[in-house]
Amino acid sequence: MIKKITTILSFVLIMAIILTIIAGCDEDEETASLIETASPTPTATKSIEPTEEPAPELKGTLTIFLAGSLAVPFGEMEAEFESLHPDVDVQLESASSGVSIRKVTELGRNAEIIASADYSLIPALMYPDYADWYVTFAKNQMVLCYTDQSKYASEINPDNWYEILLRDDVEHGHSDLLDPCGYRTLLVWQLAGKYYNEPGLYDDLVASCPEKNIRPKSVELVALLESGDLDYASEYISVAMQHNLKYVEYPAELDLSAVEHVDFYAQSSIEVPGTDPGTTITQIGFPIVYGVTIPSNTENPDLAIAFVQYLLGEKGQTIMNRSGQPSIVPGGVDNMSNIPVELQSYVVD
């Protein structure tokens, strides 16, 4: 009997120990579960990039005085720039480059940008009071334009063009000396006398072009060609391309486009009006290069800088190339220390 009781007690004791162990295991699992739940689940750390302050929204009127030969490409730029900046109103005013500059220097008018068909007019007419830097941005070349209705249109070529211009029944014209295309025409004629070994050719060509056929800017001659009032007009190749005109290409030694002929070009020169009445500036034959600047007294320098960035950037230069005025990339600058810092990455000194 005592042995039986002892056996039962042993069994009860063993069961109690087993239950205690099982309870301890359950508590450990529950504790582990609670610890896991309370601990935050590890996640990838997300880096926060520093954000730049947004550029101030451009707004206002952007006035550009430009060469007549830039009217077409700058018209495209006007539309695109305004679409990019809806609060900006671009106002283009084209004239001969000399007149465009004088609107600022002599008439006191405001412009955010001056775009000249001859970069050298900027330092010659604007330094030091109205500007102290320029950037070159495009090139061009001289050609002789005509239409199917022009007299001797089927005969003219790079070898006989000057003979045809000298015929009594032919009307030809060019722009005046305030317009780079005008004085470049006279430089071409001077060079032609040397190139074709025709002494006196320059004087003969000048005499054969009456005053009535000379206009303030070269693009005005396009309408005279189309109406038949002129048979031939001295123009840039870009103007011919933009207006679907036929043209004769001069030899590279005459067309003022080739750097390799710079020494030959320099054998020609012409006096053009200077900054003061009665004064002149000597323009020597040189490859055609366009220049742009921001007048130092402009009312909206931020707008001006933004547009020049656009002009010198991919969008603007694509338009210049498409318009027959090959871009200069990067642009050249005469004084890097004077150019706005925002433009320095677009140019070389």
Side-chain angles (χ1 to χ4, degrees), residues 282-335:
T282 302
Q283 290 290 351
I284 297 174
F286 191 80
I288 298 168
V289 177
Y290 286 73
V292 64
T293 194
I294 299 172
S296 54
N297 60 348
T298 185
E299 295 176 0
N300 295 298
D302 291 340
L303 282 182
I305 290 171
F307 188 88
V308 175
Q309 287 177 308
Y310 169 83
L311 168 64
L312 301 179
E314 182 178 355
K315 293 180 184 295
Q317 294 298 279
T318 295
I319 291 175
M320 293 304 302
N321 287 320
R322 187 168 62 238
S323 301
Q325 291 151 298
S327 61
I328 298 174
V329 180
V333 61
D334 62 332
N335 194 330

Side-chain angles (χ1 to χ4, degrees), residues 119 133-137 290-293 308 312 331-333 339 343 347:
Y119 76 93
W133 60 269
Y134 64 79
V135 173
T136 59
F137 67 95
Y290 286 73
V292 64
T293 194
V308 175
L312 301 179
V333 61
I339 191 172
L343 303 178
V347 300

Side-chain angles (χ1 to χ4, degrees), residues 22-346:
I22 292 174
C25 290
D26 289 342
E27 184 178 354
D28 289 342
E29 290 178 4
E30 182 178 0
T31 302
S33 177
L34 288 173
I35 292 173
E36 185 176 353
T37 304
S39 299
T41 302
T43 56
T45 302
K46 182 178 180 181
S47 62
I48 300 175
E49 298 292 338
T51 56
E52 295 182 1
E53 288 295 323
E57 184 62 32
L58 296 175
K59 57 180 63 178
T61 300
L62 173 63
T63 302
I64 303 176
F65 295 160
L66 65 150
S69 59
L70 290 171
V72 170
F74 272 58
E76 287 190 48
M77 293 184 207
E78 173 188 11
E80 185 169 62
F81 193 80
E82 288 180 341
S83 70
L84 295 171
H85 305 286
D87 293 327
V88 175
D89 178 22
V90 179
Q91 297 286 328
L92 302 180
E93 194 168 312
S94 66
S96 65
S97 295
V99 169
S100 293
I101 290 173
R102 286 174 171 81
K103 290 176 182 178
V104 172
T105 61
E106 295 181 11
L107 301 182
R109 294 186 56 192
N110 175 71
E112 275 62 59
I113 290 171
I114 294 287
S116 173
D118 185 344
Y119 76 93
S120 71
L121 290 180
I122 294 173
L125 300 178
M126 299 186 73
Y127 286 13
D129 295 333
Y130 298 94
D132 58 6
W133 60 269
Y134 64 79
V135 173
T136 59
F137 67 95
K139 300 177 288 186
N140 219 323
Q141 74 180 75
M142 296 296 295
V143 297
L144 184 63
C145 291
Y146 64 100
T147 69
D148 288 330
Q149 288 71 45
S150 299
K151 294 183 180 69
Y152 312 109
S154 62
E155 299 178 26
I156 196 163
N157 60 55
D159 295 321
N160 68 3
W161 61 269
Y162 60 93
E163 296 173 352
I164 288 178
L165 292 189
L166 292 175
R167 293 180 182 178
D168 291 338
D169 57 344
V170 169
E171 295 284 345
H172 68 96
H174 61 83
S175 52
D176 66 24
L177 293 183
L178 289 176
D179 182 35
C181 193
Y183 59 72
R184 284 167 172 156
T185 297
L186 302 185
L187 296 173
V188 168
W189 291 355
Q190 289 181 23
L191 294 172
K194 300 177 184 298
Y195 180 79
Y196 297 110
N197 194 25
E198 292 281 353
L201 178 58
Y202 172 75
D203 292 333
D204 291 343
L205 287 169
V206 170
S208 68
C209 182
E211 191 68 28
K212 68 181 179 68
N213 293 350
I214 300 175
R215 298 303 167 95
K217 54 183 180 178
S218 63
V219 293
E220 293 180 12
L221 303 172
V222 173
L224 299 178
L225 280 175
E226 293 173 339
S227 67
D229 292 300
L230 287 181
D231 296 300
Y232 299 92
S234 183
E235 295 282 4
Y236 297 124
I237 194 170
S238 62
V239 173
M241 294 170 60
Q242 293 161 12
H243 296 276
N244 297 313
L245 297 171
K246 293 182 178 296
Y247 58 90
V248 175
E249 290 193 63
Y250 302 119
E253 290 85 351
L254 307 182
D255 70 7
L256 302 179
S257 72
V259 174
E260 58 267 31
H261 296 303
V262 64
D263 291 339
F264 186 73
Y265 296 160
Q267 297 181 51
S268 62
S269 65
I270 195 75
E271 298 296 316
V272 303
T275 53
D276 298 318
T279 64
T280 61
I281 299 170
T282 302
Q283 290 290 351
I284 297 174
F286 191 80
I288 298 168
V289 177
Y290 286 73
V292 64
T293 194
I294 299 172
S296 54
N297 60 348
T298 185
E299 295 176 0
N300 295 298
D302 291 340
L303 282 182
I305 290 171
F307 188 88
V308 175
Q309 287 177 308
Y310 169 83
L311 168 64
L312 301 179
E314 182 178 355
K315 293 180 184 295
Q317 294 298 279
T318 295
I319 291 175
M320 293 304 302
N321 287 320
R322 187 168 62 238
S323 301
Q325 291 151 298
S327 61
I328 298 174
V329 180
V333 61
D334 62 332
N335 194 330
M336 185 70 80
S337 62
N338 290 342
I339 191 172
V341 64
E342 297 91 339
L343 303 178
Q344 291 181 5
S345 62
Y346 296 87

